[in-house]
Amino acid sequence: MRCFTVLGPSQSGKSTLIRRLAGLDGDAVASESLGVLELTEFGFLGDRWCALDLPGGAEYAALARGALMASDAAVLCVPPDPEAAMLCAPYLRVIESAGTPCLIFINRMDAARARLRDVVAALQGYTDHTIVLRQIPMRDGDDVIGAVDLISERAWRYRDGQTSTLVEMPGGPVAEREAEARAELLEAMSDYDDSLLEELIEDRVPASGALFEIASRELRDNALVPAFMGSAERQNGIMRLMKALRHEAPAVSVLRARLASDGPAPVSVAFHAQIRKHLGKVVAVRALDEGVATGQQLGGGNLGGLHRVGGGNAGTLATGAVALAVKSDQLAAGHPLTADKALGRPDWTASQPPMLARVLKPGNERDEVRLSAALTRLAETDPMMATATEDETGEPVILAQGPLHLRHLLAVLADDFGIEVDVRPPQVPWRETISKRVEVRYRHRKQTGGAGQFADVALIIAPQTRGAGFGFDETVKGGAVPRNYIPSVEAGAREATERGPLGFPVIDIAVTLTDGKHHAVDSSDHAFRTAGRMGLREGLAQAGPLLLQAIDRISVHVPSACSGALVPLVSGLKGQVLGFDRDPAARGWDVFRANLPASAREDLLQALAGATQGTAWIEAEFDHFEEIYGREADAISKARLEALA
């Protein structure tokens, strides 16, 4: 069995393409949904195939990394519009980083109005691999009625719902375009084949059979990206694409060698997982060698069971076969596997960091413990998500790639774990500090029936440089405050910084204990801790409190065509543009760098989705705190104090 993944933007016709490919032979088709991944198993000319389909939308491009771990080839399904090339950029980036041989299918040619070479040129801007046209269209006016194969030099006329019919090679402009396009194709192929280059230099016509062999080898070696065309809906060009996959897509041994890299060769790969109600974790695996069978060792444990795509016991898997493993919790998605252990993930499978954070609150208090366990299980099956805890509330946080991914995760929690949750954005990490030095004296005195409480402290409170944190020192002379009570004063002062006069934690201050008094009977650790806490609170209110906002250093990975649009966008969110550079990891991409208030993160994500058509993604980390003044600061502090009241 051979396996391929079909990728492409939303509404590009991926699912229709798979359905048409699977129906070419007329044999029974088996399918299985594993969360967002759809597996389709079918036969074609005596061979078994498995097609993997993922949702469109750039949010799910990261999930393609897992599917590509099990794929001999990738088919990128693209619209016949140069303007749509940017929507395909995230998929080209993932495919190229994976090193997976790729074929492009330019779909919906029946509705094409742009030139085919313009579509290819636009796509070429996002990949370092040369894209070569393998077909050119035959037109009747503006309508595409067939295609000419540039290797065999045969012409095929489309018949809706049927296989194309062989027709006489057209003359005139079509023949001229065919000769030009064929020359470009052979020139690109000769860059990777010396014998072909020699034939072209000597002006000899290469044989079609030899050219097909060269094309197969160059796809296997991931040297070129061939582009085909057609209409999946009308079943035009589908047979030609499937035959290209059959004759040119590499064998499973090539995938095994790619996953082995410099380490041991895996016998299998676990590439996707799902938690199913009443069944537990279900892991999609592909056998890369013999020996994968129910009851046998895989990934350091016994395989509990193997089910075929579409149902039925798989028993023993032939090399290349895909199955669903159950009762095999040792298997983790995204890992090549030997019998003894799970190997490390290849570097290229590292997903882009999830951008959208939401705090989860169970609808039922009894579900709080269950929610923690559910999130742990969910993280085992979804490498695109992450979990965290909100610092102030301790409530769980889920991080998703975007709104669609978040919606899917919440649906899984509800349907498979029976946990309904409310969501809200995380709280913005505001802080406060002081603007001037003050001296304060505070006496804590309390008399009860027995021993009382007494502590007197003199404190100097001063601002520190940003990022210095909390500092404590003492210059007490003559034992005015006994040494054993000084740590209690510091502890009390630290407690006071948990909430300042503006309602937020206090940072970047220095507290110095200069003097004090004690009582031989009534003084205690508790009394001096209370004096330190209350004295600092009193002093903070006198020291010109300032509100601080968190500033994140963000890196936006964005198609180069959109970089300019980010300047006014970030500036409008009160960010500071630091510049942008070419992204060394991908052609046609930039890394846009800026400082941005953490409070603007949500607005940035929403604006990015519109400005880049959902293709951009961000990395953000805390950089520093900076002062915020005026009405905005007053409103934030007022709202905070009201919430705490």
Side-chain angles (χ1 to χ4, degrees), residues 65-99:
R65 300 174 192 273
L68 292 176
M69 289 187 71
S71 297
D72 302 312
V75 175
L76 181 62
C77 184
V78 305
D81 181 2
E83 298 297 322
M86 189 174 71
L87 298 176
C88 303
Y91 303 98
L92 282 167
R93 179 173 184 151
V94 170
I95 293 168
E96 194 160 69
S97 68

Side-chain angles (χ1 to χ4, degrees), residues 186-204:
L186 297 186
E187 182 180 350
M189 293 174 65
S190 69
D191 288 341
Y192 304 93
D193 189 274
D194 291 340
S195 62
L196 177 58
L197 178 61
E198 184 177 336
E199 286 188 304
L200 295 180
I201 292 174
E202 295 176 356
D203 211 19
R204 286 184 285 149

Side-chain angles (χ1 to χ4, degrees), residues 107-303:
N107 196 16
R108 295 176 177 156
M109 285 298 294
D110 53 309
R113 293 296 177 263
R115 295 196 312 165
L116 195 62
R117 63 176 54 204
D118 291 340
V119 176
V120 170
L123 293 169
Q124 187 66 71
Y126 296 104
T127 176
D128 287 324
H129 287 70
T130 301
I131 302 174
V132 291
L133 275 174
R134 290 281 295 273
Q135 298 172 297
I136 63 167
M138 295 191 302
R139 296 181 184 269
D140 182 6
D142 289 335
D143 297 329
V144 176
I145 60 171
V148 177
D149 188 282
L150 296 178
I151 289 185
S152 67
E153 293 193 284
R154 291 181 173 183
W156 301 87
R157 188 180 184 89
Y158 293 149
R159 298 186 299 168
D160 290 353
Q162 305 177 57
T163 56
S164 303
T165 183
L166 184 64
V167 297
E168 185 179 349
M169 184 75 174
V174 175
E176 293 175 5
R177 286 189 286 112
E178 188 274 338
E180 180 184 355
R182 177 179 165 86
E184 293 176 358
L185 169 64
L186 297 186
E187 182 180 350
M189 293 174 65
S190 69
D191 288 341
Y192 304 93
D193 189 274
D194 291 340
S195 62
L196 177 58
L197 178 61
E198 184 177 336
E199 286 188 304
L200 295 180
I201 292 174
E202 295 176 356
D203 211 19
R204 286 184 285 149
V205 179
S208 295
L211 289 177
F212 278 118
E213 289 182 6
I214 294 171
S216 177
R217 185 178 67 251
E218 290 179 345
L219 181 64
R220 182 189 66 220
D221 294 342
N222 197 24
L224 297 175
V225 177
F228 299 87
M229 51 170 280
S231 170
E233 186 65 37
R234 297 191 175 190
Q235 205 168 325
N236 298 334
I238 303 303
M239 180 66 76
R240 182 68 195 90
L241 175 64
M242 193 64 222
K243 285 188 175 181
L245 282 167
R246 182 172 185 262
H247 293 294
E248 300 176 28
V252 67
S253 58
V254 176
L255 172 64
R256 187 185 187 208
R258 188 164 74 245
L259 292 177
S261 187
D262 297 328
V267 298
S268 180
V269 58
F271 61 92
H272 192 77
Q274 180 194 26
I275 301 294
R276 287 186 176 174
K277 198 172 184 178
H278 308 307
L279 187 59
K281 184 164 70 170
V282 179
V283 183
V285 297
R286 188 181 185 205
L288 306 179
D289 199 2
E290 298 178 352
V292 179
T294 300
Q296 297 297 312
Q297 284 278 114
L298 186 65
N302 286 339
L303 271 175

Side-chain angles (χ1 to χ4, degrees), residues 354 356-361 371-372 375-376 379 385-400 424 426:
L356 184 62
R358 287 293 181 268
V359 179
L360 305 183
K361 183 72 173 178
L371 176 60
S372 176
L375 290 175
T376 300
M385 65 164 283
T387 58
T389 302
E390 190 175 48
D391 290 339
E392 186 166 338
T393 65
E395 293 179 334
V397 177
I398 192 168
L399 296 100
R424 63 169 175 81

